[in-house]
Amino acid sequence: MLKHKDHFHGSDLEKIEQIYGIKKEEIISFSANVNPLGISSHLRDSLSTQLDAITTYPDREYKALRSCIAEYANTQQENIIVGNGSTELISLFIQTYHPKKAMVLGPTYSEYEREITLGGGTTLYYPLREEQDFHMDVHDFCSHLHEGLDLLVLCNPNNPTSSAINSVQMRQILDTCLQYGIFVMVDETYVEFTDAGDHITSIPLTNYYTNLIILRGTSKFFSAPGLRLGYAVTGNQDLIKQINTRQNPWSINSLAEIAGRLMFQDKDYVKKTQNLINGERDRIYNLLSDWDSVKVYKPMGNFMLVRILKKGVDAETLFDHCIRKGLMIRNCSTFPFLDNSFIRFCIMLPEENDRLMSAFAELLK
């Protein structure tokens, strides 16, 4: 198992405050990958009038919430499991399926490997190659799948590369996995930020493949990491029954259940978010593509991976320079297969993005 160094996560604002002496309220976090719009005004106004909901237990089966999710995600209510954030659902799935040997992409989110290891399994990495701009060669990837694996984990779009696998490619992967008896878990935390989500999401494929489970949450797109609300979609009814048996009752509190129903029906907020992210992502990508001091990889999510090419500047230097201006980016040297020349930052509001680009320019131009 690869060892990961201590690093600053997007939620580590208290650490930053302590080390740099900057009040956390004054830090703009380009590291957390959270929707810069914050929670919708509709959610804020409506939820505040329903505080009495905490005086009763929520529906144990969360039928109304799952109905809203089904309409939002264009799937069937009976295929949905809800949980205390996608993190709980990852744990529940790993505990239920109990994989002995899994494959994940490299670089990717470290929680997958952690959960697999806690369950007694081992993890292999398939490295995405920098010379291919971290895009997967699906034919080569499928040639590395074999009967010795029982689980494949894909983050799509992938964190931190912001590259994505389309649904045609995913079918190739799923067909190969079926041949070898491999179950596939796809984390779609960032798929709603893409401008081609219908061509990337694997949720429609749950109608055809029983070796597939999709995970999503509300932390990033709906800017609600403290709400701890996530959901999974699978057409495998036996798996759903097993997970429901293992899951503690009422893992979602009454206010989170109400908030979820409000969020998934807020079409104006969804559209506003997608317009903002799509426009700013293209603008910043085009801007940085003209700099000879960096290489930027075309992003599909709400964040982008950048390699620093200028001599004398590395990720640690750039992080320190930016944080002293109250701008927090992610040093990606702690991700498998990346080094101290890689940084990641997410898309924020236009004026905030401009501040970050100005800070970059001071060291890189």
Tab-separated table of all heavy atoms in Angstrom, residues 230-262:
chain	number	residue	atom	x	y	z
A	230	GLY	N	-25.822	11.385	1.077
A	230	GLY	CA	-25.383	10.796	-0.176
A	230	GLY	C	-26.352	9.727	-0.627
A	230	GLY	O	-27.285	9.359	0.099
A	231	TYR	N	-26.151	9.241	-1.845
A	231	TYR	CA	-27.018	8.165	-2.330
A	231	TYR	C	-26.247	7.284	-3.299
A	231	TYR	O	-25.237	7.679	-3.882
A	231	TYR	CB	-28.283	8.721	-2.989
A	231	TYR	CG	-28.093	9.594	-4.206
A	231	TYR	CD1	-28.238	9.084	-5.499
A	231	TYR	CD2	-27.810	10.955	-4.073
A	231	TYR	CE1	-28.101	9.887	-6.615
A	231	TYR	CE2	-27.665	11.770	-5.178
A	231	TYR	CZ	-27.808	11.234	-6.454
A	231	TYR	OH	-27.657	12.041	-7.566
A	232	ALA	N	-26.712	6.058	-3.415
A	232	ALA	CA	-26.141	5.092	-4.345
A	232	ALA	C	-27.248	4.570	-5.247
A	232	ALA	O	-28.417	4.518	-4.847
A	232	ALA	CB	-25.489	3.936	-3.590
A	233	VAL	N	-26.870	4.195	-6.475
A	233	VAL	CA	-27.816	3.642	-7.440
A	233	VAL	C	-27.259	2.326	-7.969
A	233	VAL	O	-26.114	2.263	-8.421
A	233	VAL	CB	-28.055	4.603	-8.625
A	233	VAL	CG1	-29.102	4.015	-9.575
A	233	VAL	CG2	-28.494	5.977	-8.139
A	234	THR	N	-28.049	1.284	-7.886
A	234	THR	CA	-27.663	-0.010	-8.444
A	234	THR	C	-28.908	-0.789	-8.838
A	234	THR	O	-29.972	-0.637	-8.220
A	234	THR	CB	-26.830	-0.844	-7.437
A	234	THR	OG1	-26.484	-2.092	-8.048
A	234	THR	CG2	-27.593	-1.117	-6.151
A	235	GLY	N	-28.772	-1.596	-9.881
A	235	GLY	CA	-29.874	-2.464	-10.290
A	235	GLY	C	-29.810	-3.821	-9.623
A	235	GLY	O	-30.660	-4.684	-9.879
A	236	ASN	N	-28.822	-4.014	-8.757
A	236	ASN	CA	-28.638	-5.292	-8.074
A	236	ASN	C	-29.456	-5.302	-6.779
A	236	ASN	O	-29.013	-4.798	-5.751
A	236	ASN	CB	-27.153	-5.513	-7.779
A	236	ASN	CG	-26.840	-6.916	-7.280
A	236	ASN	OD1	-27.585	-7.477	-6.497
A	236	ASN	ND2	-25.726	-7.466	-7.734
A	237	GLN	N	-30.656	-5.859	-6.834
A	237	GLN	CA	-31.563	-5.820	-5.692
A	237	GLN	C	-31.053	-6.653	-4.511
A	237	GLN	O	-31.310	-6.316	-3.352
A	237	GLN	CB	-32.955	-6.292	-6.102
A	237	GLN	CG	-33.640	-5.374	-7.115
A	237	GLN	CD	-33.773	-3.947	-6.619
A	237	GLN	OE1	-34.209	-3.714	-5.485
A	237	GLN	NE2	-33.391	-2.985	-7.452
A	238	ASP	N	-30.324	-7.723	-4.790
A	238	ASP	CA	-29.738	-8.508	-3.693
A	238	ASP	C	-28.729	-7.681	-2.917
A	238	ASP	O	-28.673	-7.738	-1.682
A	238	ASP	CB	-29.066	-9.774	-4.243
A	238	ASP	CG	-30.071	-10.801	-4.740
A	238	ASP	OD1	-31.234	-10.747	-4.283
A	238	ASP	OD2	-29.698	-11.647	-5.572
A	239	LEU	N	-27.937	-6.909	-3.622
A	239	LEU	CA	-26.951	-6.036	-2.967
A	239	LEU	C	-27.654	-4.981	-2.116
A	239	LEU	O	-27.232	-4.698	-0.989
A	239	LEU	CB	-26.058	-5.371	-4.011
A	239	LEU	CG	-25.041	-4.360	-3.472
A	239	LEU	CD1	-24.043	-5.039	-2.550
A	239	LEU	CD2	-24.318	-3.655	-4.628
A	240	ILE	N	-28.723	-4.402	-2.645
A	240	ILE	CA	-29.473	-3.395	-1.892
A	240	ILE	C	-29.995	-3.984	-0.581
A	240	ILE	O	-29.887	-3.361	0.485
A	240	ILE	CB	-30.633	-2.834	-2.746
A	240	ILE	CG1	-30.083	-1.966	-3.880
A	240	ILE	CG2	-31.601	-2.013	-1.880
A	240	ILE	CD1	-31.138	-1.438	-4.829
A	241	LYS	N	-30.541	-5.180	-0.647
A	241	LYS	CA	-31.050	-5.833	0.565
A	241	LYS	C	-29.937	-6.068	1.580
A	241	LYS	O	-30.116	-5.847	2.787
A	241	LYS	CB	-31.723	-7.158	0.203
A	241	LYS	CG	-33.034	-7.009	-0.555
A	241	LYS	CD	-33.588	-8.371	-0.973
A	241	LYS	CE	-34.861	-8.215	-1.792
A	241	LYS	NZ	-35.371	-9.534	-2.278
A	242	GLN	N	-28.780	-6.484	1.111
A	242	GLN	CA	-27.654	-6.746	2.010
A	242	GLN	C	-27.159	-5.458	2.665
A	242	GLN	O	-26.853	-5.440	3.864
A	242	GLN	CB	-26.516	-7.413	1.233
A	242	GLN	CG	-26.825	-8.829	0.767
A	242	GLN	CD	-25.732	-9.373	-0.136
A	242	GLN	OE1	-24.556	-9.238	0.158
A	242	GLN	NE2	-26.121	-9.993	-1.240
A	243	ILE	N	-27.081	-4.395	1.887
A	243	ILE	CA	-26.632	-3.118	2.447
A	243	ILE	C	-27.650	-2.578	3.441
A	243	ILE	O	-27.298	-2.093	4.518
A	243	ILE	CB	-26.363	-2.096	1.322
A	243	ILE	CG1	-25.136	-2.516	0.523
A	243	ILE	CG2	-26.162	-0.686	1.903
A	243	ILE	CD1	-24.812	-1.620	-0.655
A	244	ASN	N	-28.939	-2.674	3.094
A	244	ASN	CA	-29.987	-2.205	4.009
A	244	ASN	C	-29.973	-2.979	5.326
A	244	ASN	O	-30.252	-2.417	6.388
A	244	ASN	CB	-31.356	-2.326	3.347
A	244	ASN	CG	-31.592	-1.263	2.284
A	244	ASN	OD1	-30.972	-0.202	2.309
A	244	ASN	ND2	-32.481	-1.537	1.343
A	245	THR	N	-29.654	-4.244	5.265
A	245	THR	CA	-29.568	-5.063	6.479
A	245	THR	C	-28.413	-4.616	7.365
A	245	THR	O	-28.527	-4.599	8.598
A	245	THR	CB	-29.382	-6.546	6.110
A	245	THR	OG1	-30.513	-6.979	5.342
A	245	THR	CG2	-29.267	-7.408	7.353
A	246	ARG	N	-27.325	-4.211	6.746
A	246	ARG	CA	-26.131	-3.815	7.491
A	246	ARG	C	-26.216	-2.365	7.995
A	246	ARG	O	-25.646	-2.018	9.030
A	246	ARG	CB	-24.895	-3.969	6.588
A	246	ARG	CG	-23.574	-3.693	7.274
A	246	ARG	CD	-22.419	-3.901	6.294
A	246	ARG	NE	-22.260	-5.310	5.939
A	246	ARG	CZ	-21.491	-6.148	6.609
A	246	ARG	NH1	-20.829	-5.745	7.678
A	246	ARG	NH2	-21.390	-7.403	6.233
A	247	GLN	N	-26.927	-1.517	7.276
A	247	GLN	CA	-26.966	-0.087	7.607
A	247	GLN	C	-27.774	0.187	8.870
A	247	GLN	O	-28.837	-0.400	9.090
A	247	GLN	CB	-27.566	0.701	6.435
A	247	GLN	CG	-27.506	2.210	6.592
A	247	GLN	CD	-28.039	2.917	5.348
A	247	GLN	OE1	-28.915	2.393	4.645
A	247	GLN	NE2	-27.531	4.104	5.077
A	248	ASN	N	-27.260	1.093	9.705
A	248	ASN	CA	-28.001	1.491	10.896
A	248	ASN	C	-29.268	2.243	10.506
A	248	ASN	O	-29.275	2.985	9.519
A	248	ASN	CB	-27.146	2.395	11.789
A	248	ASN	CG	-26.002	1.655	12.438
A	248	ASN	OD1	-26.123	0.480	12.775
A	248	ASN	ND2	-24.868	2.324	12.609
A	249	PRO	N	-30.366	2.082	11.263
A	249	PRO	CA	-31.599	2.821	10.942
A	249	PRO	C	-31.426	4.310	11.161
A	249	PRO	O	-30.626	4.744	11.991
A	249	PRO	CB	-32.618	2.222	11.911
A	249	PRO	CG	-31.805	1.688	13.049
A	249	PRO	CD	-30.513	1.211	12.444
A	250	TRP	N	-32.175	5.107	10.397
A	250	TRP	CA	-32.188	6.568	10.518
A	250	TRP	C	-30.790	7.163	10.425
A	250	TRP	O	-30.396	8.028	11.209
A	250	TRP	CB	-32.857	7.004	11.830
A	250	TRP	CG	-34.247	6.489	11.985
A	250	TRP	CD1	-35.320	6.754	11.175
A	250	TRP	CD2	-34.738	5.596	12.991
A	250	TRP	NE1	-36.434	6.098	11.609
A	250	TRP	CE2	-36.114	5.369	12.734
A	250	TRP	CE3	-34.160	4.962	14.088
A	250	TRP	CZ2	-36.904	4.547	13.525
A	250	TRP	CZ3	-34.936	4.149	14.875
A	250	TRP	CH2	-36.288	3.941	14.595
A	251	SER	N	-30.012	6.734	9.445
A	251	SER	CA	-28.667	7.283	9.287
A	251	SER	C	-28.700	8.713	8.755
A	251	SER	O	-27.709	9.435	8.823
A	251	SER	CB	-27.831	6.397	8.354
A	251	SER	OG	-28.404	6.349	7.059
A	252	ILE	N	-29.856	9.118	8.210
A	252	ILE	CA	-30.050	10.496	7.766
A	252	ILE	C	-31.042	11.156	8.703
A	252	ILE	O	-32.139	10.634	8.925
A	252	ILE	CB	-30.599	10.538	6.323
A	252	ILE	CG1	-29.634	9.839	5.376
A	252	ILE	CG2	-30.839	11.972	5.876
A	252	ILE	CD1	-30.198	9.647	3.993
A	253	ASN	N	-30.666	12.317	9.243
A	253	ASN	CA	-31.574	12.968	10.189
A	253	ASN	C	-32.722	13.673	9.473
A	253	ASN	O	-32.715	13.833	8.243
A	253	ASN	CB	-30.804	13.938	11.103
A	253	ASN	CG	-30.239	15.126	10.346
A	253	ASN	OD1	-30.970	15.940	9.799
A	253	ASN	ND2	-28.917	15.243	10.337
A	254	SER	N	-33.703	14.109	10.233
A	254	SER	CA	-34.934	14.678	9.666
A	254	SER	C	-34.680	15.912	8.818
A	254	SER	O	-35.278	16.081	7.745
A	254	SER	CB	-35.913	15.022	10.792
A	254	SER	OG	-36.280	13.872	11.520
A	255	LEU	N	-33.786	16.799	9.265
A	255	LEU	CA	-33.521	18.022	8.501
A	255	LEU	C	-32.770	17.714	7.208
A	255	LEU	O	-33.036	18.336	6.178
A	255	LEU	CB	-32.726	19.014	9.355
A	255	LEU	CG	-33.508	19.702	10.479
A	255	LEU	CD1	-32.605	20.648	11.258
A	255	LEU	CD2	-34.704	20.478	9.920
A	256	ALA	N	-31.846	16.770	7.260
A	256	ALA	CA	-31.122	16.396	6.046
A	256	ALA	C	-32.068	15.761	5.031
A	256	ALA	O	-31.928	15.973	3.821
A	256	ALA	CB	-29.987	15.428	6.390
A	257	GLU	N	-33.031	15.000	5.515
A	257	GLU	CA	-34.016	14.374	4.615
A	257	GLU	C	-34.852	15.446	3.913
A	257	GLU	O	-35.076	15.389	2.704
A	257	GLU	CB	-34.910	13.424	5.425
A	257	GLU	CG	-35.777	12.499	4.589
A	257	GLU	CD	-37.133	13.104	4.245
A	257	GLU	OE1	-37.530	14.075	4.926
A	257	GLU	OE2	-37.774	12.614	3.298
A	258	ILE	N	-35.279	16.454	4.669
A	258	ILE	CA	-36.056	17.552	4.077
A	258	ILE	C	-35.194	18.361	3.117
A	258	ILE	O	-35.609	18.703	2.006
A	258	ILE	CB	-36.627	18.468	5.184
A	258	ILE	CG1	-37.650	17.700	6.026
A	258	ILE	CG2	-37.259	19.720	4.578
A	258	ILE	CD1	-38.080	18.440	7.271
A	259	ALA	N	-33.961	18.661	3.544
A	259	ALA	CA	-33.043	19.437	2.705
A	259	ALA	C	-32.793	18.732	1.379
A	259	ALA	O	-32.747	19.373	0.320
A	259	ALA	CB	-31.726	19.661	3.438
A	260	GLY	N	-32.634	17.420	1.428
A	260	GLY	CA	-32.414	16.661	0.207
A	260	GLY	C	-33.562	16.812	-0.772
A	260	GLY	O	-33.352	17.055	-1.966
A	261	ARG	N	-34.785	16.696	-0.267
A	261	ARG	CA	-35.950	16.834	-1.148
A	261	ARG	C	-36.001	18.228	-1.771
A	261	ARG	O	-36.352	18.373	-2.944
A	261	ARG	CB	-37.235	16.544	-0.364
A	261	ARG	CG	-37.405	15.063	-0.054
A	261	ARG	CD	-38.788	14.756	0.473
A	261	ARG	NE	-38.897	15.002	1.913
A	261	ARG	CZ	-39.760	15.815	2.481
A	261	ARG	NH1	-40.605	16.511	1.741
A	261	ARG	NH2	-39.805	15.947	3.788
A	262	LEU	N	-35.638	19.238	-1.006
A	262	LEU	CA	-35.637	20.609	-1.519
A	262	LEU	C	-34.555	20.797	-2.582
A	262	LEU	O	-34.792	21.400	-3.632
A	262	LEU	CB	-35.426	21.601	-0.375
A	262	LEU	CG	-36.557	21.712	0.649
A	262	LEU	CD1	-36.103	22.491	1.878
A	262	LEU	CD2	-37.784	22.381	0.016
